[in-house]
Amino acid sequence: MGNGPLAGVRVLELAGLAPGPFAGMMLADHGAQVLRVDRVETVRALGDRPHGTALDRGKRTIGLDLKSPRGVEAFKRLAAQADVVIEVFRPGVAERLGIGPDDLHAVNPRLVYGRLTGWGQDGPLAGRAGHDIDYIAISGVLSMLGRAGEKPTPPINILGDFAGGGLMLAYGIVLALFERERTGRGRVIDAAMVDGAALLFALFSPLLRPGPDGGPLAGWGERGTNLLDTGAPQYDTYETADGGYVAVGALEPRFWDELVARLGLEDLPDRNDRANWPAIRARLAEAFRSRTRAEWEKIFEGSDACVFPVLTMSEAPRHPHNRARGTFVEVGGGLQPAPAPRLLGGGHGDLAPATRLHDLSSWGIDAETARALRDEGVLA
């Protein structure tokens, strides 16, 4: 058990796709005791072997048949001992199973019930299927992602699922736990990925043209033609001689001047005139293709030109900065991102791979009851 700020907080995590486990991981990373409730057959197949990805680290697991009345009864016993439940079903499913917020608040009024869905618990789309790409599409975010003249490009499933979903849910849970210290009562959290994705783009809200139809963006050009979306040559990636890439973020004038000087470029057109951007980009692209990525790292070492290598996922843990900070940690023989953010002067939760929990006595299920449930095939 870790000694993070959430030490002593008990979380029941209903098994689901990645955003739910990500929220549970965020809580476990900071000391919460997370018990993942999976399908009976899944847990039996895994046995007592450590299992799971980084999203399951620091957790314990059990299998429980929630379609069985006895399984629902057992889950309510667990919930009576919990501080938090993470539920990732479509709206109404938990209620039909008998483990919705009202059901569990009847046995534990202090429970924080976190619900994570793509569309939210209400609204015309609430009952529809969807994935990250759909949620960021409806939020308007996807329309802004991609290069000029090309179709919108989703950044894998990071913005909707993880940032707009799992991370927002973890944040909401911590808010509700903080509030509970004052009120003594739990709360239901409706975390919707479409809401979270929209919030992530709050910076661009002044660009929205008011009107009954929502309107197009005002003061912002077409996708891929702006300062921060690869439209500007000073904020983009460039290929190097060996097929690698560097990322350039020389926005401020003094950073730009240093970039140009270290590239050895002269007589560049004025970058403040957007009409010059294609010509400037061509000059930068030609310059970067003249040397390898490693050579450019040496040239820009110690500079404020905001030029850094685009590392692969396997290269990132070996970068000196990441190594110095311990940005990646070894867990179960593999590398994973370390807990974030860091609370200086304190510890974090146990990062060991997820393991099966046999003794449920501290969760309100004694050994005899657990044995009977296992004999019935309800518990694993």
Side-chain angles (χ1 to χ4, degrees):
M1 183 68 62
N3 61 347
L6 296 180
V9 173
R10 290 183 156 199
V11 180
L12 277 179
E13 177 195 301
L14 287 159
L17 297 177
F22 181 68
M25 181 205 77
M26 292 290 295
L27 302 178
D29 278 354
H30 293 287
Q33 180 182 346
V34 180
L35 179 60
R36 178 179 169 90
V37 180
D38 217 319
R39 296 176 182 272
V40 170
E41 53 270 25
T42 300
V43 173
R44 281 180 179 162
L46 290 168
D48 290 331
R49 302 191 309 275
H51 63 277
T53 65
L55 303 183
D56 297 310
R57 68 188 182 198
K59 303 176 185 178
R60 306 299 297 275
T61 65
I62 62 169
L64 198 59
D65 182 3
L66 293 176
K67 295 182 179 179
S68 159
R70 290 273 282 162
V72 170
E73 179 188 350
F75 188 82
K76 288 182 177 179
R77 288 197 185 191
L78 299 173
Q81 306 297 319
D83 297 288
V84 178
V85 163
I86 294 177
E87 179 256 294
V88 292
F89 304 143
R90 286 200 202 187
V93 171
E95 284 81 357
R96 288 194 294 273
L97 291 172
I99 57 171
D102 291 344
D103 303 303
L104 300 190
H105 279 150
V107 299
N108 183 359
R110 290 175 53 82
L111 186 70
V112 173
Y113 196 108
R115 317 194 81 167
L116 178 60
T117 59
W119 306 114
Q121 296 298 313
D122 55 16
L125 298 177
R128 296 274 296 276
H131 281 294
D132 178 286
I133 191 171
D134 306 306
Y135 311 137
I136 65 174
I138 291 298
S139 72
V141 169
L142 183 55
S143 71
M144 300 180 68
L145 306 178
R147 291 192 175 272
E150 298 181 7
K151 64 182 182 180
T153 304
I156 53 179
N157 64 327
I158 299 299
L159 278 179
D161 282 356
F162 288 91
L167 189 58
M168 293 293 182
L169 175 61
Y171 174 58
I173 287 170
V174 172
L175 290 178
L177 288 171
F178 182 80
E179 180 191 50
R180 192 182 69 175
E181 293 301 303
R182 175 169 48 85
T183 66
R185 299 191 63 82
R187 181 182 286 274
V188 180
I189 300 163
D190 178 4
M193 297 172 197
V194 65
D195 298 347
L199 181 62
L200 291 170
F201 272 62
L203 171 65
F204 298 96
S205 59
L207 303 177
L208 295 170
R209 179 182 297 169
D213 62 351
L217 290 172
W220 187 260
E222 293 294 322
R223 176 175 57 252
T225 65
N226 304 283
L227 184 63
L228 300 176
D229 63 359
T230 75
Q234 62 265 39
Y235 200 84
D236 204 351
T237 58
Y238 291 91
E239 187 175 8
T240 58
D242 56 345
Y245 290 88
V246 293
V248 175
L251 294 175
E252 292 79 1
R254 64 188 182 91
F255 299 161
W256 173 254
D257 291 343
E258 186 163 352
L259 169 71
V260 172
R262 296 210 178 204
L263 285 174
L265 295 176
E266 298 177 351
D267 302 323
L268 283 178
D270 181 9
R271 69 169 187 162
N272 293 314
D273 184 347
R274 292 192 178 209
N276 293 330
W277 282 3
I280 296 173
R281 184 188 306 280
R283 294 280 300 279
L284 263 63
E286 181 182 17
F288 278 115
R289 281 196 298 267
S290 68
R291 297 178 186 268
T292 67
R293 194 187 73 179
E295 288 174 318
W296 287 120
E297 283 189 76
K298 285 289 186 183
I299 289 172
F300 286 100
E301 186 175 2
S303 84
D304 275 344
C306 302
V307 177
F308 293 92
V310 177
L311 302 179
T312 65
M313 294 297 289
S314 61
E315 290 174 321
R318 301 196 297 271
H319 189 276
H321 182 81
N322 294 334
R323 291 179 64 181
R325 283 189 53 83
T327 301
F328 298 88
V329 293
E330 185 173 335
V331 178
L335 288 174
Q336 299 178 2
R342 304 178 188 200
L343 278 69
L344 301 185
H348 54 67
D350 181 6
L351 302 184
T355 54
R356 189 173 179 179
L357 181 63
H358 291 280
D359 183 3
L360 292 170
S361 57
S362 65
W363 282 89
I365 299 179
D366 59 67
E368 184 177 349
T369 302
R371 189 180 306 110
L373 291 171
R374 289 189 178 99
D375 291 343
E376 296 171 25
V378 173
L379 176 68

